[in-house]
Amino acid sequence: MFFIDTIELDGLGNRHYLAGGKQTAVAVDPPRDFDQVLAAAARRGVRISHVVETHIHNDYVTGGLELARVTGAAYLVPAGARVSFARVPVADGDTVTVDSGLDLRAVATPGHTPHHTSYVLQENNVPVAAFTGGSLLIGTVGRPDLVEPRLTEQLARAQHASAHRLADELPDETSVLPTHGFGSFCSSAQAEGDATTIGREKSANAALTQDVDSFVTRLLADLDDVPAYYAHMGPANADGPAPVDLTPPAIADAEEIADRLAAGEWVVDLRSRIAFAQGHVAGSFNFEADGKIATYLAWMIPWGKPVTLLAESPEQLAAAQRELVRVGIDRPAAAATGSPEQWVAEGGSLAAFPRSTFAGLAEHGTDGIVVLDVRRDSERAAGHIEGSVHIPIHQLHKRLGEVPPGTVWVHCAGGMRAGIAASLLDAAGRDVVAVDDGFDAATGAKLPVVTG
């Protein structure tokens, strides 16, 4: 008998796994904060004997090296990956014993990276699951453009071949357990559904239903923007990440918060966009703790710039810290908890801006205002408000000067990114209205929506 525990990383859109038998288990692609893996092993009453990486990750800092050190497990990393630490190099066909009657077999599946390796879990030599990392995902594959532009087409073709290798070698009932595809920008498209098998992918995955030329042409045409922080993840993982420190940061009072703002540091308010709009420290930015804070803050902040976190509670602060260490933002410079009234220096006042909907925009009319669309290029191409200005959210902090004069009504697809954008514009002294609404409502409001 074997078990497989799936552990979600909702903020980054990834999964990692613990799989094993009665006594020992293997951890697959663990994140930097690996306490959930240890807790899962404790619940199962098993020892982690192996930690494996499918590839050197681009979208988060791995916890594999430190987890292996803490548990004494063997640390398996694809042999082709250039790393600066001791590990067990894994080549195609290598097999390790996880528990009695339970083996893990390495299968070279280049494409997401040149060295990418999947691992097939075998019970009594029968494949039961494949940990496919960034290779074969649910309905799609991992993107091939994160390593080197000159290799992108070559890796896209390798993705097609790797998907076919898995489909040809594994029984249809084999579970496919990817790391990416649940919101991660490492996926070339988002997963449709929550679980899959080799058999299901044979009929649903473009890599397995299209010829290689058609597949590559479509894959390359559909690639989206790459988060800027990805450039720092690969090197960090290859060097061997340091252990995390999740102890609470130093507490900043109102004067220190003001000083940090004056010094050009980032002060980030973690509260909901609704609460932020109602009242906040002038000059602070709003990245909701319940949103994709790790992705968007890491994407937009100048790398290495000190950040101070403002939170409603110690719990909200701790959750945000945990999200941020996963992408290499290790220690906040300072933090404060409570309410915005406590964060404003004596004699100061809170800033605020209005929120509205697409119906509110239609009622107001678009004459004499700026409608700013902060969605990605692919989203805008599917439909946008005629005459609107387009600056994707991850570019806005560097392109604020391109926003035309006038009151700015800013929108995205659902409201979260509009909240971030509104906070950036407000901090820059612009009059702004945050459109907190789903973009589908724009058509219902009879706003002029065009495509292309």
Side-chain angles (χ1 to χ4, degrees):
M1 294 293 293
F2 68 93
F3 71 87
I4 300 175
D5 288 340
T6 300
I7 306 171
E8 306 272 358
L9 286 185
D10 291 333
L12 291 176
N14 286 323
R15 290 177 175 177
H16 56 111
Y17 303 91
L18 182 73
K22 292 182 177 180
Q23 295 183 309
T24 48
V26 57
V28 181
D29 288 343
R32 202 168 178 203
D33 56 316
F34 50 74
D35 51 342
Q36 287 180 297
V37 187
L38 294 176
R43 285 193 299 270
R44 293 284 186 177
V46 296
R47 176 177 63 86
I48 297 175
S49 59
H50 296 81
V51 177
V52 303
E53 304 282 8
T54 56
H55 60 294
I56 299 300
H57 305 282
N58 288 291
D59 61 334
Y60 66 91
V61 182
T62 182
L65 180 63
E66 183 64 8
L67 177 60
R69 187 191 68 80
V70 167
T71 60
Y75 188 32
L76 279 57
V77 177
R82 294 174 178 247
V83 296
S84 302
F85 48 83
R87 87 290 192 202
V88 179
V90 178
D92 184 50
D94 287 352
T95 301
V96 296
T97 298
V98 176
D99 201 286
S100 177
L102 198 63
D103 299 321
L104 200 67
R105 176 169 59 89
V107 180
T109 48
H112 186 49
T113 65
H115 62 266
H116 191 283
T117 301
S118 298
Y119 297 90
V120 177
L121 188 68
Q122 302 177 153
E123 185 180 38
N124 298 323
N125 297 318
V126 177
V128 292
F131 300 103
T132 55
S135 184
L136 187 65
L137 311 185
I138 300 179
T140 185
V141 295
R143 58 194 299 170
D145 61 326
L146 301 179
V147 177
E148 157 62 50
R150 291 171 295 181
L151 295 178
T152 297
E153 182 174 348
Q154 175 185 330
L155 289 175
R157 292 181 178 277
Q159 278 289 51
H160 188 271
S162 292
H164 277 267
R165 180 182 180 187
L166 291 171
D168 291 343
E169 292 186 5
L170 299 177
D172 283 357
E173 60 271 20
T174 307
S175 295
V176 176
L177 302 172
T179 300
H180 303 315
F182 311 96
S184 168
F185 280 85
C186 269
S187 174
S188 60
Q190 294 315 307
E192 295 290 338
D194 193 55
T196 193
T197 62
I198 288 291
R200 190 173 302 170
E201 291 308 301
K202 284 181 178 180
S203 63
N205 196 307
L208 299 174
T209 59
Q210 297 178 1
D211 65 85
V212 62
D213 290 332
S214 300
F215 168 76
V216 169
T217 298
R218 180 64 182 270
L219 177 64
L220 299 186
D222 289 346
L223 291 173
D224 217 326
D225 300 308
V226 178
Y229 71 91
Y230 278 25
H232 305 281
M233 300 297 95
N237 287 326
D239 288 344
V244 296
D245 179 3
L246 290 175
T247 58
I251 299 300
D253 59 17
E255 289 186 8
E256 182 179 343
I257 292 170
D259 288 344
R260 290 188 177 279
L261 282 167
E265 298 181 11
W266 279 37
V267 174
V268 171
D269 191 324
L270 301 171
R271 297 175 302 141
S272 75
R273 57 185 182 265
I274 298 172
F276 184 88
Q278 291 171 341
H280 56 270
V281 176
S284 62
F285 302 143
N286 181 218
F287 290 80
E288 294 177 296
D290 292 339
K292 294 178 74 70
I293 179 175
T295 295
Y296 285 103
L297 180 56
W299 197 338
M300 296 169 65
I301 192 170
W303 200 252
K305 182 175 281 291
V307 59
T308 294
L309 300 178
L310 308 179
E312 287 179 327
S313 66
E315 293 77 18
Q316 187 180 65
L317 173 62
Q321 266 189 271
R322 180 178 289 270
E323 289 279 336
L324 293 177
V325 298
R326 293 171 178 165
V327 292
I329 300 178
D330 282 8
R331 293 292 297 166
T337 58
S339 64
E341 290 80 10
Q342 299 170 276
W343 306 330
V344 178
E346 187 173 352
S349 58
L350 296 178
F353 53 78
R355 297 165 53 251
S356 190
T357 61
F358 284 109
L361 174 58
E363 183 178 348
H364 182 280
T366 57
D367 292 341
I369 66 168
V370 180
V371 178
L372 177 61
D373 180 349
V374 295
R375 297 174 301 159
R376 296 187 298 279
D377 291 346
S378 58
E379 296 173 286
R380 181 173 173 85
H384 60 272
I385 296 173
E386 188 174 18
S388 60
V389 176
H390 180 225
I391 303 177
I393 183 63
H394 57 276
Q395 300 175 10
L396 182 60
H397 62 301
K398 296 180 179 178
R399 298 175 59 188
L400 286 168
E402 299 178 29
V403 181
T407 299
V408 183
W409 286 60
V410 59
H411 79 85
C412 60
M416 181 193 73
R417 287 172 291 175
I420 297 173
S423 73
L424 297 176
L425 290 159
D426 177 74
R430 297 297 301 270
D431 291 329
V432 62
V433 178
V435 178
D436 196 350
D437 203 358
F439 187 72
D440 289 347
T443 301
K446 295 185 168 42
L447 288 164
V449 174
V450 296
T451 58

